[in-house]
Amino acid sequence: MGQRYNRIGRETLQIADTAPMELLRQIVEWQEDETDDQRDLDWPASEDEDAFRRSVKSLLDEQTIEFLRPIEDRCVRINQLASANGIKSLSHVAKERLSHEQYQEFDAQPNELCRCIWMFLGRQQDFRDAEAFHAVRQYRDHGRMYDAFEADAGAATITSVQQMDPGTLAGLLTTRLDLPSKVDISTLHLQATPTHRPSLLVIVRHAGPLSSVFHHKDGGQRKTIYFRPSNEASLVWTPDEGLIEACGASPQVRMSVAETFAEVVFKTDLSKKPLSWRYYD
């Protein structure tokens, strides 16, 4: 009977069982920025891979929940993109964004899990955009948190749309959503598939509504911490169909993103010709 681990999360355990040993070390010790706590461990020394993995899992199982939770969260993200559909999204972003030499290194990784880890460790922005693309595919397939609008692009073609000004779009969206900080915009070209025509994906990351939580301090007191969570909405423009698809949790944000995109990219006067609402979840 295999050893039981009480604290390691399921996703962490999966990666601890399958990822190359050096990549496993990098995932555990990875820091998103300089303010993150160091996660240095006294790694076991063993030339036997099975013995090393058992020692690592036992070592992790001795750590606190505070130590393990961030590791589990990132393992969840990596495993999701290593799935059958997730890897398609990741590979598309890799082909779109990486140089020839970088793509060769990406493609030379031993398997799909290693490709996901390689992108996570070294190309965080591209990894996040692959996550957004993967989410959009699920929105489109399952029809939840999803709107679609018919739009008249006028003289705009797919070439001119690709030359859109993300800065202008971000500035106008920041104003319309009444945000304290500017939204972040990423774009991705989507090639034709058996079910979808060529499209442009616009990923909008923005501050969410002001929220708060109680933080329990070491002395037993609690303190209110105010924060704005990072939210995300995505837009897909398909010129051949004259269709804008907006995906995201907030109906108001979906509508605002679609309208602002039409105004900035197509120079549409929505007071005279509003978007035609085709679908609603």
Side-chain angles (χ1 to χ4, degrees):
M1 188 180 215
Q3 182 176 346
R4 292 179 63 87
Y5 300 97
N6 298 318
R7 292 186 175 179
I8 305 177
R10 181 178 62 182
E11 306 291 337
T12 303
L13 196 59
Q14 180 178 334
I15 285 186
D17 282 332
T18 55
M21 291 182 285
E22 180 54 33
L23 291 183
L24 173 58
R25 180 197 298 264
Q26 292 182 53
I27 291 171
V28 171
E29 296 181 348
W30 183 79
Q31 292 177 272
E32 187 164 3
D33 55 48
E34 296 178 354
T35 63
D36 282 359
D37 295 333
Q38 288 288 123
R39 295 188 177 88
D40 295 329
L41 292 175
D42 186 13
W43 288 88
S46 174
E47 295 183 359
D48 180 77
E49 182 174 332
D50 290 338
F52 175 84
R53 292 188 189 278
R54 287 195 298 270
S55 297
V56 168
K57 288 184 286 188
S58 295
L59 178 63
L60 289 174
D61 205 47
E62 296 171 358
Q63 308 306 312
T64 64
I65 297 300
E66 286 75 10
F67 182 95
L68 293 172
R69 178 60 185 270
I71 299 172
E72 175 71 4
D73 289 345
R74 73 183 65 124
C75 288
V76 168
R77 296 171 62 195
I78 290 169
N79 283 331
Q80 283 179 342
L81 281 191
S83 65
N85 289 326
I87 198 65
K88 294 179 182 178
S89 302
L90 186 78
S91 298
H92 178 85
V93 173
K95 292 176 182 177
E96 180 83 16
R97 297 278 178 77
L98 301 182
S99 67
H100 177 69
E101 292 76 14
Q102 290 168 336
Y103 186 80
Q104 284 185 317
E105 185 177 354
F106 167 83
D107 195 48
Q109 299 303 306
N111 53 40
E112 294 172 346
L113 175 63
C114 292
R115 293 187 186 98
C116 288
I117 296 173
W118 183 91
M119 189 76 88
F120 179 89
L121 294 173
R123 307 277 302 191
Q124 264 292 304
Q125 181 64 48
D126 295 329
F127 186 90
R128 293 190 187 102
D129 287 350
E131 288 180 301
F133 179 29
H134 182 52
V136 165
R137 296 174 71 166
Q138 293 176 310
Y139 287 137
R140 294 172 104 185
D141 291 342
H142 300 293
R144 296 181 179 178
M145 295 187 288
Y146 169 92
D147 290 322
F149 306 88
E150 294 178 353
D152 182 4
T157 64
I158 187 65
T159 301
S160 62
V161 170
Q162 290 172 349
Q163 297 169 352
M164 59 173 277
D165 179 7
T168 300
L169 181 61
L172 190 53
L173 272 174
T174 302
T175 300
R176 289 188 170 176
L177 297 175
D178 193 23
L179 298 174
S181 57
K182 194 172 183 178
V183 306
D184 178 70
I185 301 248
S186 294
T187 59
L188 193 67
H189 303 135
L190 307 183
Q191 299 174 349
T193 70
T195 54
H196 297 290
R197 296 185 180 182
S199 307
L200 175 72
L201 172 63
V202 180
I203 305 162
V204 180
R205 297 184 175 94
H206 62 93
L210 187 64
S211 186
S212 65
V213 294
F214 283 121
H215 171 60
H216 194 81
K217 303 171 72 174
D218 292 341
Q221 305 90 354
R222 57 182 198 172
K223 175 183 177 182
T224 304
I225 298 178
Y226 292 91
F227 68 99
R228 287 185 180 272
S230 178
N231 288 351
E232 185 174 285
S234 298
L235 177 146
V236 180
W237 162 241
T238 307
D240 291 348
E241 298 177 355
L243 190 67
I244 293 176
E245 298 167 271
C247 310
S250 168
Q252 294 79 11
V253 171
R254 295 198 298 264
M255 176 66 80
S256 184
V257 167
E259 291 181 340
T260 305
F261 179 84
E263 290 184 21
V264 170
V265 178
F266 308 147
K267 312 301 181 187
T268 301
D269 183 354
L270 295 181
S271 65
K272 296 180 180 178
K273 192 170 186 179
L275 297 178
S276 299
W277 201 357
R278 186 187 288 188
Y279 303 117
Y280 180 69
D281 60 352

